[in-house]
Amino acid sequence: MAHAEVEYRRGEYRKSAARREQILDAAFAVFSESGYTASSVNEIARRVGLSQTGVLHHFAGGKTALLQAVLDRRDQLAEDILADRHGIDFLRALSEITRTQLDKRGMIQAYRMLSTEAVNPDHPAHAHFHDRQRRVLHGLERAFREAMDDGDAPLDLDPHAAALSCMAMTEGLEVLWLNGFTVDMVGDSRRHLQQFLTTGL
Amino acid sequence: MAHAEVEYRRGEYRKSAARREQILDAAFAVFSESGYTASSVNEIARRVGLSQTGVLHHFAGGKTALLQAVLDRRDQLAEDILADRHGIDFLRALSEITRTQLDKRGMIQAYRMLSTEAVNPDHPAHAHFHDRQRRVLHGLERAFREAMDDGDAPLDLDPHAAALSCMAMTEGLEVLWLNGFTVDMVGDSRRHLQQFLTTGL
């Protein structure tokens, strides 16, 4: 390919990537407002000034592909924070993730709507949320086991029970916080984690 | 009024009450499947073989009135169980309420959808869920204070913090249970309550 054509294609790729991001922002906003079931590709297209066909050019799988891309984009942030962290250091990183969410109430509400809809096994995001929640549980469990190995947790700890308990507390605090209760999501989650450890978080 | 007319009216009243219950069952089923926002009075009417006007004859306020009636009907059960119970006896009753929910997964999911939608202050059920959650918190707090007075809880307990913590744990366990995790909703909630008490639950 000639240099000019490569440059042209790069420019097109950047434009297309920017457009995809725009569409995902709109999809997320619409899903947040109405829930996934009640949302339409048409409304998402309208928000970015495209036709429905225009949106389907970027997301051929339609509404479910948009949902999947919105969810994947969110997970990336948490995975970047947790990458290569182990034991008590992994448990500390969880507070960092919680902290990044404090100014994203609308987003948290939207994911909670989606994950509640997705409890139904025939929901297109069912597998996503199912797998994600199991990954979180296994990550926590592994971190507790590593903390035991490192002398940061008592040797008689049940890492599975501790992981489930911490997950339940974090979910519950998020529900109360969303509903306007005065809870300290970062501090209260950390205090709950701390009771299973012998080293300070 | 003549005796026959009184009898006739009683019969009409019973029929109307039974019809209202039927409509509420259908409304609840439709809200459960699609969430409140995406549901229509039309679909609810179709399920009970009525026209939309037929449903509006029983619930003049339309979809929001149906939602309110569905929510009120649910609260009655919990309030009947908790009536006139105090201190540790109130805290024991909470396990009974949790136990009544174990065979109602669809219903629990539906209320969680509705309460998540209702986080928005302009949602018609916002005040209902807001008030209900505060009543639960205050009931718990009062029960912990009574338990302290009765010698069933340590005198240095913070009843507000204990109530919030138990509410968060119960909400979180429900979320995990809904998502198919193996949690013991009754036992795990009770164990969490127990740590704030000196008398066995």
Side-chain angles (χ1 to χ4, degrees), chain A residues 105 109 177-181, chain B residues 36 64 67-68 71 114-134:
Chain A
R105 180 179 291 264
Q109 186 198 353
W177 173 72
L178 264 184
N179 283 286
F181 285 92
Chain B
Y36 173 78
T64 59
L67 175 62
Q68 194 57 54
L71 297 174
L114 286 172
S115 68
T116 309
E117 273 182 304
V119 164
N120 287 327
D122 52 357
H123 190 283
H126 179 76
H128 172 92
F129 282 107
H130 184 275
D131 295 351
R132 182 174 195 279
Q133 289 159 346
R134 268 69 189 171

Side-chain angles (χ1 to χ4, degrees), chain A residues 12-88:
Chain A
E12 283 304 293
Y13 178 77
R14 267 197 303 272
K15 264 192 276 180
S16 176
R19 184 57 107 181
R20 278 176 62 94
E21 287 299 306
Q22 264 188 326
I23 295 170
L24 288 183
D25 289 340
F28 182 71
V30 173
F31 294 159
S32 307
E33 288 160 29
S34 321
Y36 173 77
T37 309
S39 297
S40 74
V41 174
N42 223 8
E43 171 62 13
I44 294 164
R46 205 189 54 74
R47 300 246 181 138
V48 283
L50 286 176
S51 66
Q52 194 167 326
T53 317
V55 167
L56 295 176
H57 169 72
H58 293 275
F59 295 92
K63 203 168 77 156
T64 59
L66 286 165
L67 176 61
Q68 194 56 56
V70 160
L71 297 175
D72 289 344
R73 196 170 61 160
R74 170 220 198 186
D75 283 354
Q76 202 49 54
L77 176 68
E79 277 167 27
D80 289 348
I81 293 179
L82 291 174
D84 302 319
R85 299 181 73 161
H86 297 278
I88 202 163

Side-chain angles (χ1 to χ4, degrees), chain A residues 32-34 37-38 105 108-110 112-113 115-120 129-130 133-134 137 160 164-169 171-173 175-176 178-183 188 192 195, chain B residues 32-34 37-38 105 108-110 112-113 115-120 129-130 133-134 137 160 164-169 171-173 175-176 178-183 188 192 195:
Chain A
S32 307
E33 288 160 29
S34 321
T37 309
R105 180 179 291 264
I108 302 294
Q109 186 198 353
R112 195 154 281 282
M113 285 279 291
S115 67
T116 309
E117 274 181 305
V119 164
N120 287 327
F129 281 107
H130 183 275
Q133 288 158 347
R134 268 71 188 170
L137 182 68
H160 178 73
L164 263 181
S165 174
C166 290
M167 230 180 127
M169 183 51 87
E171 293 279 347
L173 285 169
V175 169
L176 296 191
L178 264 184
N179 283 286
F181 285 92
T182 309
V183 291
D188 289 348
H192 193 76
Q195 68 179 301
Chain B
S32 307
E33 289 160 29
S34 321
T37 309
R105 181 180 291 263
I108 302 293
Q109 186 198 356
R112 195 154 281 284
M113 285 279 291
S115 68
T116 309
E117 273 182 304
V119 164
N120 287 327
F129 282 107
H130 184 275
Q133 289 159 346
R134 268 69 189 171
L137 182 68
H160 178 74
L164 264 180
S165 175
C166 291
M167 229 178 128
M169 183 50 87
E171 294 277 347
L173 285 170
V175 169
L176 295 191
L178 264 184
N179 283 287
F181 285 92
T182 308
V183 292
D188 288 348
H192 193 77
Q195 69 179 300

Side-chain angles (χ1 to χ4, degrees), chain B residues 29-46:
Chain B
V30 173
F31 293 158
S32 307
E33 289 160 29
S34 321
Y36 173 78
T37 309
S39 298
S40 74
V41 174
N42 225 9
E43 171 62 13
I44 294 164
R46 205 189 54 73

Side-chain angles (χ1 to χ4, degrees), chain B residues 56-116:
Chain B
L56 295 176
H57 169 72
H58 292 275
F59 294 93
K63 202 167 78 155
T64 59
L66 286 165
L67 175 62
Q68 194 57 54
V70 160
L71 297 174
D72 288 345
R73 196 169 62 158
R74 171 219 195 187
D75 284 354
Q76 201 51 53
L77 175 68
E79 277 166 28
D80 289 348
I81 293 179
L82 291 174
D84 300 321
R85 298 180 75 161
H86 297 279
I88 202 164
D89 191 40
F90 178 97
L91 300 173
R92 285 182 184 130
L94 296 177
S95 295
E96 291 174 36
I97 294 176
T98 305
R99 202 170 291 115
T100 65
Q101 300 182 331
L102 292 180
D103 58 352
K104 296 181 187 129
R105 181 180 291 263
M107 193 190 82
I108 302 293
Q109 186 198 356
Y111 285 118
R112 195 154 281 284
M113 285 279 291
L114 286 172
S115 68
T116 309

